Amino acid sequence: MTRLGLVPWLTAGASLTLLQGGALAWGMSGEGALLTLSVAAVGALQIVKTWLSVLRLNDLGLEPSRALMTAVPPLNLFLLGTLFAATPSDSLRAKRRAVWSGGTSLLAAVGRGARALSKAWWLLLVVCLGQGGVGWLLEASLPSALAAFLEGDLEARQIWFQGSLVVFGALGLYLIVQIFNRSKASRASWLPTFFVLPIGLFALGVYPPLPDTIGVAPAVAVMYGSIVFGVWLVLSALLHPLWIQVVDEGLRRGARAELSRAIDRWKAGWAGAAAVYAGAMTAIFLGLQALYVPGILLAIVFAFAPHAGILEPQERPYRLSRVLAQRVGFRLVLLLGAGGVALLLTQFGGQLLAEALLATFSTSDYLVDGRFLPERVLFSTGYALIFPGNAPISPLGVGLSNAVGGLIWAVVLAGLTVLYRGQRPAEDSTGEAADSSAPT
C-alpha cells in the first residue's frame, strides 16, 4: 500500500473538510430536500476521509481498522493525535506492524464471520423480517393503547398495578433465593430473574398516581419502554447464541459446515446461554442509565460472555469475557462502536425512508403544503429514542430499522465470533484443533 507523508495527508484532509463545510452551507441555504442532499454529500466525503486515514495509518505502521473511527464524528477526534504523529522510519514501521499483523485484523474478522453467517442466509432473512414485523406491530399498537389505558378507568389501572406488583415481588424473592443458592443453581434456573427489571418498570408505569404526577406521556414512555425491553431481551437472548453457533460451525468445518448441526448445538445449550446473555444485557442496560459511560464499559467487558455461554458452557463466561476483551483490545472497541453507530443510523434512516415513501402517496405526517420535511422526521426519531411511544414516528420505519438492525448486529456477532476463536481455538470431534482458517 502506498505510503502517505504527513504534509500530503494534512493537505488532503483539510481540502475534504472545506468541501464538507461548503456542502453543509449550501444545504442550509435551501429547503429540506437540499439539506438532506448536502448531509449525504458530507457523509460521502467522510467516507473518503476514512480511506485517507487508512493510508496514513499504513504509513505509521498501525492497524488500518482504526480508520473506522474517522467515519464516526466525534469519535474521529480521538484518532487525530495518532494521525498527526511524525512519519516513522522503515524499521520502526516494520516493528509496529509486527505487533498487530500476527492476529486477525478487524476487517478480516468481519469478512470471515459474514461469509460463515451467509450459510444460513435464508434463516437470517426470515428472522430479520420477523424482527421487523415485531417492531412494526409494537409501534403500531402499543403507544395509543397505553395512552388510552392510562387515561381510562382508574380501577382497571389499580388491578394491573397490583397484579404486576405481585409478579415483581415474587420474581424479586426468587432472585434473592438464587443469589444465596448461586453455588448450586444452574444457569437455566436464572432465566426468570431477568424479568424482574422489565416487570418492575411496567409496575412503575402503571402506578395509578403516576400519570397525574408526571403526566401521561412520561408514564407511557415507562410502560412502552418496559414492554419493548422485555420483548427485545427475550428475542436477543434466543437469537444471538444461534448466530454465534452458526458462525462457529462455519469456522470449524468450512465447506463441511451444516446449518442443522449448528441448530442442534444451539438447542442443546440455549437455556444456559440465554441466561448468560440476559444477565449481561441487564447489567449493560442499568449501566446505560447512569450517564451511559458505565454501560459502554460493561458492553466491552461482557462482549464475549454470550460466546462463552454457548460455545464453552463449562467456563465462567463473565470472567472469561473480561480476559478476552483485554486481549482483543482496540479491535473489540472499534467493532462494538461501529456496530452501535450503524444501529443508530439505521433508526434514523429507516424513518426517513418510510416517511419519504409515505410522502409519495401524500400520507406522511411530515408533508406540509405539499413539501416533505425530513428535518422534522429526524427530530421526531431522536425524541422517540429518548421518550419511546411519544413521537409520531412511522411503524413502517420502526419495522425497517429493526429488520436491518437485526442483520447488522448478526454481522457484528459474526466478527466477534472470529475474534473469540482467535483467542480460544475450537477442537473437532477427534479432539484436535479445528482448522479455523478453512474457507467459509
Side-chain angles (χ1 to χ4, degrees):
M1 185 179 292
T2 304
R3 295 196 64 178
L4 184 67
L6 178 59
V7 174
W9 170 75
L10 280 173
T11 303
S15 300
L16 291 172
T17 302
L18 288 174
L19 286 174
Q20 286 179 308
L24 192 58
W26 171 65
M28 295 181 66
S29 65
E31 297 181 351
L34 192 61
L35 178 60
T36 302
L37 184 60
S38 70
V39 171
V42 170
L45 290 171
Q46 196 68 25
I47 294 175
V48 176
K49 291 171 73 173
T50 302
W51 169 77
L52 195 64
S53 295
V54 171
L55 295 179
R56 180 59 181 158
L57 287 167
N58 172 72
D59 196 26
L60 295 169
L62 301 176
E63 190 174 3
S65 60
R66 297 191 185 191
L68 292 176
M69 294 177 68
T70 305
V72 189
L75 193 62
N76 56 341
L77 298 177
F78 294 97
L79 186 62
L80 282 178
T82 300
L83 299 178
F84 272 109
T87 303
S89 63
D90 290 341
S91 59
L92 179 56
R93 177 174 176 267
K95 290 179 181 179
R96 290 178 177 176
R97 288 179 61 86
V99 172
W100 57 266
S101 60
T104 303
S105 71
L106 178 57
L107 297 178
V110 173
R112 289 180 56 201
R115 289 194 297 273
L117 186 64
S118 67
K119 294 182 179 296
W121 67 268
W122 63 268
L123 179 61
L124 183 63
L125 178 62
V126 170
V127 169
C128 288
L129 289 176
Q131 288 179 279
V134 170
W136 173 84
L137 182 62
L138 290 175
E139 185 63 34
S141 58
L142 274 183
S144 58
L146 292 175
F149 174 73
L150 292 175
E151 293 172 343
D153 184 34
L154 177 61
E155 184 176 351
R157 280 188 283 154
Q158 290 175 335
I159 293 174
W160 273 93
F161 171 69
Q162 292 169 357
S164 57
L165 199 61
V166 169
V167 176
F168 173 72
L171 289 176
L173 181 61
Y174 181 76
L175 173 60
I176 295 174
V177 173
Q178 283 289 104
I179 292 174
F180 280 106
N181 195 42
R182 61 186 180 276
S183 60
K184 300 179 181 179
S186 66
R187 287 181 184 169
S189 67
W190 286 89
L191 281 174
T193 67
F194 299 114
F195 291 98
V196 171
L197 181 58
I199 291 179
L201 290 174
F202 182 85
L204 174 63
V206 80
Y207 179 54
L210 189 66
D212 296 331
T213 304
I214 65 175
V216 172
V220 168
V222 173
M223 293 182 67
Y224 185 78
S226 68
I227 295 172
V228 170
F229 175 65
V231 172
W232 168 78
L233 193 63
V234 171
L235 290 178
S236 299
L238 291 175
L239 294 175
H240 288 193
L242 173 60
W243 303 141
I244 293 171
Q245 281 286 21
V246 168
V247 175
D248 187 61
E249 171 70 12
L251 295 176
R252 286 161 55 94
R253 300 183 181 273
R256 297 179 290 116
E258 295 181 4
L259 178 59
S260 59
R261 187 159 43 208
I263 294 177
D264 289 340
R265 290 169 60 197
W266 170 74
K267 288 180 180 178
W270 73 267
V276 171
Y277 180 90
M281 292 304 105
T282 299
I284 293 169
F285 176 83
L286 291 173
L288 289 173
Q289 311 314 305
L291 298 178
Y292 291 99
V293 175
I296 294 173
L297 295 177
L298 287 173
I300 296 170
V301 170
F302 292 154
F304 292 117
H307 298 75
I310 190 67
L311 299 178
E312 299 184 90
Q314 76 281 2
E315 299 289 343
R316 297 178 64 178
Y318 302 124
R319 183 173 66 176
L320 177 58
S321 178
R322 184 174 65 252
V323 172
L324 296 183
Q326 292 175 340
R327 292 180 185 173
V328 175
F330 186 82
R331 289 173 294 169
L332 172 61
V333 175
L334 194 53
L335 179 55
L336 292 178
V341 171
L343 289 182
L344 185 62
L345 294 177
T346 300
Q347 297 288 328
F348 289 93
Q351 286 299 320
L352 275 175
L353 178 59
E355 292 295 345
L357 290 174
L358 293 174
T360 61
F361 298 99
S362 301
T363 56
S364 173
D365 294 331
Y366 300 93
L367 198 63
V368 179
D369 296 329
R371 186 164 62 94
F372 181 54
L373 303 175
E375 63 275 14
R376 294 191 182 182
V377 178
L378 296 176
F379 176 82
S380 294
T381 305
Y383 188 82
L385 293 175
I386 300 173
F387 295 103
N390 282 283
I393 60 175
S394 168
L396 175 61
V398 175
L400 287 173
S401 60
N402 278 17
V404 177
L407 176 61
I408 289 173
W409 205 253
V411 173
V412 171
L413 286 171
L416 288 173
T417 305
V418 175
L419 295 176
Y420 181 90
R421 279 307 184 197
Q423 302 294 325
R424 306 281 294 184
E427 293 185 350
D428 61 20
S429 58
T430 65
E432 298 178 355
D435 182 12
S436 61
S437 64
T440 57

